[in-house]
Amino acid sequence: MLKKLMRKKTTDIQSLNERIEIVKKRQIPNHIAIIMDGNGRWAKQRKMPRIAGHHEGMKKVRQVTNFANDLEVKVLTLYAFSTENWKRPKIEVDFLMNLPGEFLNTYIPELMEKDIKVEMIGNMDALPAHTRNAIEKAMEITKDNQGLILNFAMNYGSRIELVHVMKELAHEVAEGRIEANSINESVINSKLMTAHLPEPDVLIRTSGEVRLSNFMLWQLAYAEFIFTEVLWPDYNEDCLLQAIEEFQNRDRRFGSLEGDQKG
Ligand code: IPE
Ligand code: IPE
Ligand code: MG
């Protein structure tokens, strides 16, 4: 408790830059995944339409991405649209489907300058052509960049991802391409849309909701979960820094007796 209070006090008096220096000396998470939630409530609080919240949220994507890149995070996965979000009113879905085009077109020069690579997980085929084209264009232009991977989860659902893995493996077994007995965790990993990425070290969800909403169920097996009341359009560098500080103070045991319990 005292440790926690002291930490809070130190946090208050240190400037952002000093905190960044400290965080950089410790382990920076390789992969941060964020469920960007609360856009609608942010707008409602201001008596604005929900889409205004999504537009403001889009600006935060840029801000948080640039900051994660500065901190040398390797992968930032952002849950932008779930397979369940199609249930929303058409006008809202249409607005959300326009955001990648607006966002990526204006952000591409900065992505190039900062060496950031755009990727996507989710079912791209079911996206409207203009949305798909915008994402594909950004992926193509940034494909050789070596800095942060900015991975959008767009029309993504973890269960459907796992269903596809199971189907593919069932076909491979049926056709004699793989032995049922040789299916193991790494075989399953290799079939996921995240096969080439490190597992998320941290999962952040904004807006006070404490659930996964069908996000990376397999991949998050050992991630540190950080839930914050902050609504996504209010999220900023300080919030991400706080999350990383929290992560760095966690004792990740992975089932062993490292850290406090060792003895
Ligand atoms: C998150 O904000 C953005 C998407 C799910 C696309 P919401 O739109 O879910 O905002 P709330 O939860 O209604 O406040
Ligand atoms: C999860 O948020 C999906 C995204 C952030 C893209 P939702 O707002 O759709 O989740 P629920 O409906 O509250 O579970
Ligand atoms: Mg929501």
Side-chain angles (χ1 to χ4, degrees):
M1 186 65 190
L2 185 63
K3 218 165 134 190
K4 224 177 185 173
L5 274 176
M6 280 171 63
R7 207 160 61 221
K8 176 143 184 39
K9 197 153 177 234
T10 330
T11 304
D12 287 343
I13 54 171
Q14 275 165 347
S15 72
L16 199 67
N17 282 343
E18 283 171 325
R19 284 167 58 209
I20 291 170
E21 287 315 307
I22 295 170
V23 155
K24 276 186 162 174
K25 288 196 183 100
R26 303 181 71 191
Q27 196 211 338
I28 294 287
N30 279 323
H31 185 169
I32 299 178
I34 307 183
I35 302 177
M36 307 182 289
D37 200 7
N39 294 352
R41 277 162 285 170
W42 182 92
K44 196 173 174 201
Q45 283 174 358
R46 287 161 180 76
K47 303 198 173 13
M48 288 154 88
R50 291 179 55 82
I51 55 171
H54 295 315
H55 202 259
E56 193 61 26
M58 180 187 79
K59 295 187 197 159
K60 293 309 163 112
V61 169
R62 189 166 179 158
Q63 195 177 327
V64 168
T65 301
N66 288 342
F67 189 54
N69 186 51
D70 290 346
L71 292 175
E72 295 178 23
V73 172
K74 296 197 172 54
V75 186
L76 179 67
T77 296
L78 300 176
Y79 203 9
F81 193 90
S82 76
T83 46
E84 287 70 34
N85 287 146
W86 296 107
K87 294 176 198 161
R88 295 189 179 197
K90 185 175 179 315
I91 185 161
E92 182 170 345
V93 170
D94 287 349
F95 187 85
L96 288 167
M97 291 300 154
N98 278 328
L99 288 182
E102 181 182 343
F103 173 72
L104 290 166
N105 282 336
T106 56
Y107 191 26
I108 282 175
E110 202 175 346
L111 290 170
M112 293 310 290
E113 185 199 314
K114 294 188 178 335
D115 211 17
I116 298 171
K117 182 179 181 180
V118 175
E119 293 192 2
M120 191 200 124
I121 55 172
N123 180 4
M124 198 168 229
D125 297 341
L127 295 175
H130 66 91
T131 314
R132 199 170 55 235
N133 291 343
I135 299 171
E136 274 172 352
K137 180 179 151 201
M139 283 168 46
E140 175 59 29
I141 294 175
T142 63
K143 71 176 189 308
D144 295 322
N145 287 355
Q146 301 291 315
L148 177 82
I149 294 177
L150 171 58
N151 182 35
F152 285 104
M154 188 79 194
N155 192 19
Y156 174 84
S158 185
R159 286 185 174 171
I160 195 70
E161 178 184 32
L162 291 169
V163 166
H164 284 306
V165 171
M166 289 176 208
K167 261 192 199 159
E168 199 181 324
L169 287 171
H171 283 302
E172 288 187 14
V173 170
E175 289 159 15
R177 284 187 281 142
I178 187 173
E179 295 262 338
N181 272 335
S182 63
I183 296 173
N184 57 24
E185 292 182 18
S186 66
V187 169
I188 292 175
N189 271 327
S190 73
K191 304 278 184 204
L192 293 167
M193 289 185 273
T194 50
H196 61 297
L197 302 174
E199 282 184 12
D201 300 294
V202 191
L203 168 81
I204 299 167
R205 184 169 188 152
T206 59
S207 86
E209 305 298 354
V210 187
R211 55 175 169 263
L212 286 178
S213 302
N214 200 14
F215 188 50
M216 295 182 121
L217 304 177
W218 171 281
Q219 295 89 336
L220 293 170
Y222 259 109
E224 294 296 329
F225 286 19
I226 295 177
F227 297 100
T228 168
E229 295 291 326
V230 176
L231 303 174
W232 176 253
D234 289 327
Y235 206 78
N236 59 19
E237 287 89 350
D238 182 61
C239 302
L240 186 65
L241 197 61
Q242 267 183 47
I244 298 176
E245 286 166 340
E246 165 92 44
F247 165 79
Q248 292 180 334
N249 285 314
R250 299 261 180 104
D251 185 15
R252 297 187 87 190
R253 290 189 288 277
F254 297 101
S256 76
L257 299 181
E258 291 296 315
D260 291 349
Q261 295 185 27
K262 211 174 177 182

